[in-house]
Amino acid sequence: MQTPAHPSYDVVIIGGAIYGSSVAWWLTQMKGFDGKVLVVERDPTYSFASTSHTNSCIRQQFSNATNIQVSQFGAEFIKNFRDFMGGSEEVPHLTLQSYGYMYLADTPEFAATLKEAQTIQESLGAATKHLSRDEIAEAYPFYQLDDVLGANHNLVDEGYFDGGTMFDWFKRSARANGVEYIHAEVTAINRTGNNVDSVTLSDGTVVACGTVVNASGPRAAATAKMAGLDIPVAPRKRYTFIFDAAQPLDRDLPLTIDPSGVHMRSEGKYYLAGCPPDEDPDVAFDDFAFDHSIWENKVWPTVASRIPQFEAIKVINEWVGHYAFNSFDQNALVGRAEECPNFVFVNGFSGHGLQQSPAMGRGVAELIAYGEYRSLDLSAFDVNRAAHKKHFLETAVI
C-alpha cells in the first residue's frame, strides 16, 4: 500500500480502471483546470477489473439518441486516438475492426423494434441497414435463417478494437500529465452535512478532497454506501469463450446477437462467443467461479444451430468477468448526487462501459471542471433518476 504525496486534493477518484483513468486523463485536458488529482486503486494489477475482461466492442445500434451519440464520439476517438493523445509517435494507432453488429429478429415485434431503432440511428448519421431474411442470406450465406424475419446491421464504425491499449494510454498519459496514482483502499468517505470532506485509507491516512468520483465499477454500491448514498449497481457474471472452427468461415463474422441471447463474432483467426447465464443473480465482488455447463448447454448448441459450419469447434480459451449491472434500467448512472453534490458517480454501464468511456470520461471531467456538460449533454444519464423512478429508455441492451 502507498501513501499519497499530499494531504489534500481537488479531486479524489476511487477506482483506477477504465473510468477512473478516463476521467483522470480528461481532467488534464480541461482548459483552466489545474487542480490536484489523486486516483486510489485497490488492485493495481487490475486482474479482476471489468476492464480486464472486456470484449472491447463498440456499436451505434442503440435506440436512444444519446447512447448513439456517445458511441459515435467513441468511434471518432478510437480512429483518431494518437491525435487525441497529443500526437506523439509513441502513441499507437488504434484500429476499429468494423465487422458490425448483426441483430437477428425472430418475431414480428422484435423486427419492428429493430426497424424503429434503425430509423433513429440513420437520422443521426449511423449507417445501420435493416435487412430482410434474403438480404442477410445474400451477404452472409453461412447463417441458418429459418426462424429469422429480419436484422439490423452496420459496417461503419461498429465492431471491436483494442480496449486494453486505450486503457493503458489513459492511465500512463494521466500520470505523465501530473495525476497521482496510489495502491491503496478507501475504507471511509467522510461527510459533513451534504458535503464530502475527506476519504480515509486502509492505513488510517485521511485525505481531504474537493470532489470524490465513484469509478468503482462493480463495487459502486459499496463505495457509495461509505458516503451514505445508494446506487442500484451490482456485479453480474458474463461468460466469454474463444473457439477454433474445423471449417472456418470464408468471410468475417459480424458480432451476431442471436435471439437466444448468445452473441458471437470473428476474433482474428478464431471466434468469440458469450452470453449471460439463464439465471442472472447479483454475485459477490470476488466470485469468478466458472460454470462450464454454459458452453455445453447454451453457447455451443446455439452457435452450431445458427451457423451449421460451426458444428465442429473447440474452445481454446474462456473466462468470466463482471458487468457493473444497473438493475434499474441497465444504462449509465452519471453525475452529482443530489444530497451530496461533490460526490460524482460514473457507474452502472451494464456492459457498455468500455465503448462509452471516451465520451463519459470527457463529460464527467467537464462537469467537475466547469460545473456543466459542454461537449455532449449527458444529463439523460443523471444518477438521481433511479431515486425518482425515471427510467432511461433503451431497447437495445445485450
Side-chain angles (χ1 to χ4, degrees):
M1 296 291 180
Q2 297 168 292
T3 301
H6 305 283
S8 67
Y9 293 81
D10 296 276
V11 182
V12 171
I13 300 173
I14 304 174
I18 191 67
Y19 272 94
S21 291
S22 176
V23 172
W25 178 77
W26 276 110
L27 279 170
T28 71
Q29 306 302 299
M30 298 292 110
K31 291 182 179 179
F33 177 82
D34 59 358
K36 293 198 300 292
V37 179
L38 175 70
V39 176
V40 182
E41 172 54 50
R42 64 190 300 275
D43 176 20
T45 71
Y46 302 97
S47 299
F48 297 105
S50 296
T51 301
S52 302
H53 297 103
T54 179
N55 293 341
S56 296
C57 299
I58 185 167
R59 60 183 165 110
Q60 296 172 50
Q61 289 193 60
F62 290 95
S63 66
N64 186 289
T66 309
N67 267 337
I68 296 166
Q69 292 171 315
V70 164
S71 284
Q72 287 175 327
F73 177 70
E76 178 189 346
F77 187 85
I78 292 163
K79 293 189 300 181
N80 298 283
F81 185 64
R82 178 177 286 178
D83 290 339
F84 275 104
M85 285 286 158
S88 169
E89 292 187 0
E90 293 182 2
V91 180
H93 287 293
L94 293 184
T95 300
L96 205 171
Q97 304 283 356
S98 293
Y99 298 167
Y101 278 59
M102 178 75 77
Y103 276 86
L104 299 176
D106 62 346
T107 66
E109 294 79 13
F110 189 34
T113 296
L114 288 180
K115 179 58 180 173
E116 182 179 349
Q118 184 270 336
T119 301
I120 296 169
Q121 293 155 22
E122 187 176 50
S123 73
L124 292 169
T128 311
K129 303 297 182 186
H130 187 71
L131 306 178
S132 67
R133 179 191 297 167
D134 289 344
E135 289 171 324
I136 303 166
E138 182 179 1
Y140 299 99
F142 46 73
Y143 288 125
Q144 186 284 113
L145 297 170
D146 290 351
D147 60 332
V148 171
L149 302 179
N152 279 3
H153 189 218
N154 178 4
L155 284 169
V156 180
D157 292 346
E158 186 168 283
Y160 72 96
F161 64 101
D162 184 351
T165 294
M166 185 171 75
F167 165 52
D168 180 56
W169 278 89
F170 273 147
K171 179 162 50 78
R172 71 167 66 188
S173 297
R175 281 175 162 155
N177 292 341
V179 173
E180 183 183 347
Y181 279 66
I182 62 167
H183 173 202
E185 185 168 1
V186 172
T187 55
I189 298 173
N190 311 304
R191 279 178 57 177
T192 300
N194 64 351
N195 193 68
V196 172
D197 300 316
S198 62
V199 301
T200 302
L201 306 182
S202 55
D203 66 356
T205 300
V206 175
V207 183
C209 54
T211 296
V212 170
V213 179
N214 183 349
S216 303
R219 293 175 173 266
T223 297
K225 188 176 181 180
M226 287 189 283
L229 303 170
D230 295 314
I231 187 172
V233 175
R236 296 272 183 101
K237 287 185 180 180
R238 293 297 181 266
Y239 293 83
T240 299
F241 303 87
I242 305 296
F243 64 90
D244 195 7
Q247 299 181 62
L249 304 176
D250 65 353
R251 64 201 74 187
D252 296 324
L253 173 63
L255 198 155
T256 304
I257 297 93
D258 190 83
S260 67
V262 172
H263 60 268
M264 60 192 111
R265 65 164 166 85
S266 290
E267 175 78 1
K269 67 177 183 177
Y270 300 118
Y271 300 92
L272 177 150
C275 68
D278 289 332
E279 294 185 9
D280 192 21
D282 297 347
V283 299
F285 306 128
D286 57 353
D287 180 2
F288 290 89
F290 201 94
D291 182 353
H292 295 278
S293 70
I294 286 179
W295 172 259
E296 292 293 335
N297 297 335
K298 184 174 183 178
V299 178
W300 179 75
T302 301
V303 168
S305 174
R306 183 60 61 201
I307 302 177
Q309 211 168 314
F310 283 167
E311 177 69 24
I313 55 180
K314 178 182 179 181
V315 174
I316 60 171
N317 194 12
E318 59 189 14
W319 64 86
V320 61
H322 289 162
Y323 271 10
F325 191 82
N326 167 12
S327 59
F328 179 66
D329 61 17
Q330 294 82 64
N331 279 272
L333 293 159
V334 178
R336 299 182 182 277
E338 283 180 338
E339 59 186 277
C340 186
N342 70 332
F343 190 100
V344 176
F345 290 91
V346 56
N347 304 107
F349 291 89
S350 307
H352 308 150
L354 201 81
Q355 65 181 293
Q356 295 190 326
S357 61
M360 295 293 192
R362 178 183 64 178
V364 170
E366 290 173 343
L367 187 65
I368 293 168
Y370 309 130
E372 62 182 358
Y373 300 119
R374 291 189 173 181
S375 302
L376 178 62
D377 184 5
L378 302 179
S379 57
F381 296 106
D382 181 37
V383 63
N384 303 290
R385 74 180 187 275
H388 297 301
K389 308 300 182 186
K390 185 177 180 180
H391 289 81
F392 182 101
L393 299 178
E394 174 58 69
T395 62
V397 174
I398 300 174

